[in-house]
Amino acid sequence: MKANEIHDLNEAEIEQRIAEEQRDLTDLRFRRSVAGLENPIVLRDKRRDIARMKTVLNQKRAALTNTPPAADA
């Protein structure tokens, strides 16, 4: 998933996707230890996707907390 696509999601959707990806990563790690994987690069890609989503989520949260106060009219 590209960062552009992640930016289009809201915080709840990003958190949900992170949870799904972490479950998938755990499952892949288990399968790797039991039987091996055809494509071990999938593990790296999952880790990077999770990190990318966490980064965008933190950026969104930081943008909400650092908003300047509204100017009085």
Side-chain angles (χ1 to χ4, degrees):
M1 178 170 248
K2 300 283 185 185
N4 307 2
E5 298 168 358
I6 300 169
H7 281 290
D8 295 337
L9 303 174
N10 64 32
E11 287 185 33
E13 291 172 334
I14 294 172
E15 289 173 350
Q16 181 182 7
R17 291 293 305 263
I18 289 171
E20 291 172 5
E21 293 293 327
Q22 286 177 331
R23 281 192 299 271
D24 291 345
L25 182 61
T26 302
D27 183 51
L28 285 170
R29 286 179 176 157
F30 179 74
R31 282 195 281 161
R32 179 186 64 181
S33 65
V34 172
L37 294 174
E38 288 183 25
N39 187 4
I41 302 302
V42 174
L43 290 171
R44 181 184 69 192
D45 292 341
K46 288 281 184 195
R47 276 196 329 267
R48 289 182 179 180
D49 284 343
I50 292 168
R52 193 174 295 118
M53 285 187 268
K54 285 183 176 182
T55 300
V56 171
L57 183 62
N58 286 333
Q59 288 172 347
K60 284 185 176 228
R61 288 182 176 161
L64 289 177
T65 59
N66 294 333
T67 55
D72 293 332

